[in-house]
Amino acid sequence: MEFFERFAVPHPSPMIYASMVAIGLVVIGIVFGITYFKKWGYLWREWFTTVDHKKIGIMYLISALLMLFRGGADAILMRLQLSSPDMEILDAQHYNEIFTTHGVVMIIFMAMPFIFAFMNLVVPLQIGARDVAFPRLNALSFWLFFAGAMLFNISFVVGGSPDAGWTSYFPLAGNDFSTSVGTNYYMIAIQISGIGSLMTGINMITTILKMRAPGMTLMKMPMFTWSAFIANVIIVFAFPVLTIALLMGTTDRLFATNFFTTTNGGMDMLWANFFWVWGHPEVYILILPAFGLYSEIISTFSSRNLYGYKSMVGSMVLISLLSFLVWTHHFFTMGQGALTNSIFSVTTMAIAVPTGVKIFNWLFTMYKGKIRFTVPMLYSIGFIPLFTVGGVTGVMLAMSAADYQFHNTMFLVAHFHNTIIPGVVFAMLAGLTYYWPKFFGFMLNEKIGKWSFWLLSVGFVLAFFPMYITGLDGQARRMYTYSEATGFGPLNLMSFFGAALMAIAFVTIVYNILYSIKNSPRNIGNDPWDARSLEWATHTPVPEYNFARLPQVASSEAYWDAKKNGHKLFTGELKDIHMPNNSGVPFIMGIIFFVAGFSFIFALWVPAVIALIGIFACMALRSFELDHGRHIHVKEIKEIESQYEGGAK
C-alpha cells in the first residue's frame, strides 16, 4: 500500500473526485467508440503515423482547442471564487493549483500548439513547398508536445497539481515548500513539450530558408511566413534556456542539487532570470505569428496590398532583438538596483515603438480600402484598440518606480490578458475561421461567427477592465479570497459575468463548427475569400502533395498577381513527386517519453531507465533505417487533379 500512496492526490476534494470519474468515463467512451466503429486501423494509418504537415497541423489545432477549454474551466472557477467576498468554492490550496495550471495550460499547451497549427498548415503552402524540411521530425515534435500536455493534465488526479504559480519561482518550488510531486509534473512535462517546440523551431527555419518556390526571395515571402520565421528564430535561442533551467530545477528536486536553493551556494533569483530570459521572448513567439495572421487577413478583406511591407519586416526583426533585452522588468521589485531597473525600463518602452509601427501599417492598409466585415476581419479590427490598451498599460508597468505599485496586483493580470487575448486568442480564432475552408472544404457560418465575436469582445472588456481598477485599489493577484470591507466585490462580480460571457462565446464557436459541418455548402472553390497568397492557389481540400507543379513567384502576393495581372503561376510539365513515408516511430517515442516523464516524476528509477533505453533505441533505429520515401507518379497525379473541377492547374 505504501507504494500506491505516492500516487494519491494530497489535497482531495469532491471536485477532484468528480474529475477522476469524468476522465475515466471519457476514456472508456472513446476507446469503446473507436473499437465499436472499427477505427483503430484508420487512426493508425491516417493520423498516428502521419508525417503530412497538414494533418499534423490539424492535430495541433484539435489539441489547442481542447486545452483552451481545459484552461478556460480553470479561469471560470477562479472568477467564480472571487466573484464575492469570502467565497468558499475553492480553498486556498485548490485555488493555488488552479491558477498555476491555468497559466501553464494556456501558454504552453494552448497558445503554442495554436501557432504551431497555423505554421504547419500554412507556411509550406505559402512558400510553395510540398512539406516541411524534416517531416518525421515534425511528427515527433507533435507527439512530444502531446505527451507533455497529457502528462501535465493527469497531475490533478494522480499525485497532485503543481501549486507554485505558472512561473514556479524558487524557493517556493523547492522541496521544502512544495512537498508533493506537483512541481515535478511542471518541470518534466514542460521539458518534454519544450523539446518538441525546439525541434519545430529548427524544422521551420530550415523549411523557410531552403524550400521556397522558384522566384520567392526573402523579401517576396508573405507576411505570415516572415512572422513564423522570426518566431522560430526566437524559439531556437530562447527554448534552450528554459530546457536547462527545467533540468536544473528537476535535479534540485530529485537529486538534492543546489542550483536554486537559498543555502549551500544556491541562488533562487537565478531561476527568475533564466525563466524570464525565456519567458518574455515567449510572449513574442506567440504574438509575432498572430501579427502575421492579422496582416494576411486585413490585406485580404481590405482588398489592398499590405501597407509598408519592408517596415513590417523590419519592425518584427527589431521586436525579436529587443525581446531578449527586457526580461528584468518582470522583477523590478526584487532588489537588483536603480541602474539595472532604469536600463530595462528604457528597453521595455523601446519595444513599444516597432509594435506601434505595425498598428499604423494595419490602419493604413485599411485606409481607403474596400473593407468586408467578415468574421476574421472583425477579430482583426477588434484586436487593434484592445491590444493598444494592453500596450499602453504595458508602458505604465515599464516605469520601474510605478511598478512598485502595480506589481503583484490585479492591474498586472489585466494588462497581461489585455495583450494575450486580443493579441493571440483573437488571432487564432480569426485564423481558424479564415483558413477553415481551405483545410476542411466548407466555411463556418458567418452569422453565428459574428455572435461569437461580439460575445467574446464584450465579455473580455467586462472580465478584465474592472481588474485595472481593483488592482490600482490594491487587490493582490494570487489571493483566493478577500473581505467585504475591501470594496472589491461589485467589480469582481462584473469580472465573473464577463468571464461567463466569454465561456458562452466559446460554446457558440463549437456550435458553429457542428452547425457548419451539417449545413454549409461544399462547392466553395479554392479561393472563397478572394485572397492574395499562394496557399489559396491550390485545391480545396489540399491534396497530399500540395502543388502538382511548383509555382513560379514574382511578388509577395503571387496569387493576386496571377488573378489580377495575368502572371502565370504554374508552368512546365508534370513530373513524379517525391513524398516521405509514414512512420509509427514518432508516436511510439511520444508514448515512451510519457512513461519516462511519469517515472521521473515519482522517482520510479527502473521504468525510467528502461524508458530512456527505449528512446535511444528508437533514435538508433532511425539512424540505421533505409527509408528513401516514395513517389507519386504522373499518372496518379493526373487522376487526382482531374477530380478537382475548376481548381488550380
Side-chain angles (χ1 to χ4, degrees), residues 412-434:
L412 190 147
V413 176
H415 153 73
F416 181 75
H417 288 82
N418 211 155
T419 55
I420 293 297
I421 292 178
V424 178
V425 178
F426 276 31
M428 298 305 116
L429 295 176
L432 180 73
T433 311
Y434 183 61

Side-chain angles (χ1 to χ4, degrees), residues 122-246:
V122 177
V123 167
L125 296 178
Q126 282 200 335
I127 64 173
R130 294 201 165 105
D131 209 316
V132 295
F134 309 115
R136 191 180 290 198
L137 187 69
N138 197 26
L140 179 60
S141 298
F142 170 77
W143 290 115
L144 290 185
F145 149 75
F146 193 76
M150 292 302 101
L151 189 62
F152 188 86
N153 277 284
I154 65 168
S155 63
F156 71 105
V157 294
V158 182
S161 287
D163 59 0
W166 89 275
T167 55
S168 204
Y169 282 151
F170 284 81
L172 181 59
N175 287 328
D176 291 340
F177 298 102
S178 294
T179 55
S180 76
V181 297
T183 302
N184 293 356
Y185 272 111
Y186 176 99
M187 296 287 167
I188 293 169
I190 297 177
Q191 179 80 288
I192 293 171
S193 181
I195 294 169
S197 298
L198 182 58
M199 290 177 180
T200 298
I202 295 167
N203 205 346
M204 285 292 167
I205 290 171
T206 308
T207 301
I208 293 168
L209 289 179
K210 304 299 289 185
M211 298 184 69
R212 299 190 307 277
M216 183 178 285
T217 62
L218 287 175
M219 295 309 290
K220 290 178 183 175
M221 294 196 308
M223 195 52 61
F224 178 72
T225 298
W226 258 114
S227 69
F229 175 69
I230 294 169
N232 282 291
V233 170
I234 299 175
I235 285 173
V236 168
F237 281 95
F239 264 83
V241 180
L242 178 68
T243 299
I244 296 303
L246 290 169

Side-chain angles (χ1 to χ4, degrees), residues 532 553-569:
R532 310 176 79 85
V553 174
S555 77
S556 62
E557 296 182 324
Y559 188 45
W560 188 259
D561 285 346
K563 290 190 295 185
K564 306 298 180 182
N565 301 323
H567 171 68
K568 195 163 183 62
L569 268 180

Side-chain angles (χ1 to χ4, degrees), residues 294 375-383 426 429-430 449 452-453 456 509:
Y294 286 133
V375 172
M377 190 62 168
L378 287 176
Y379 279 114
S380 303
I381 293 172
F383 144 79
F426 276 31
L429 295 176
S452 301
F453 164 75
L456 187 60
I509 290 169

Side-chain angles (χ1 to χ4, degrees), residues 125 300 434-443 521-543 546-547 558-560 562-563 569-570 641 644-649:
L125 296 178
T300 293
Y434 183 61
Y435 284 112
W436 187 275
K438 175 53 62 178
F439 295 101
F440 295 99
F442 61 93
M443 299 179 73
R522 267 45 179 184
N523 56 336
I524 58 172
N526 67 310
D527 182 26
W529 301 117
D530 193 22
R532 310 176 79 85
S533 46
L534 276 181
E535 68 269 32
W536 302 99
T538 187
H539 302 304
T540 300
V542 184
N546 295 348
F547 301 94
Y559 188 45
W560 188 259
K563 290 190 295 185
L569 268 180
F570 303 104
E641 292 291 301
Y644 292 94
E645 294 182 3
K649 300 296 182 184

Side-chain angles (χ1 to χ4, degrees), residues 280 284 322 325-326 329 332 341-356 391-403:
H280 202 84
Y284 294 99
L322 288 172
L325 302 175
V326 298
H329 72 216
F332 277 146
N341 280 359
S342 298
I343 293 169
F344 282 91
S345 182
V346 171
T347 58
T348 303
M349 293 182 190
I351 208 168
V353 176
T355 308
V392 169
T393 55
V395 173
M396 294 171 66
L397 287 160
M399 295 182 285
S400 55
D403 188 64

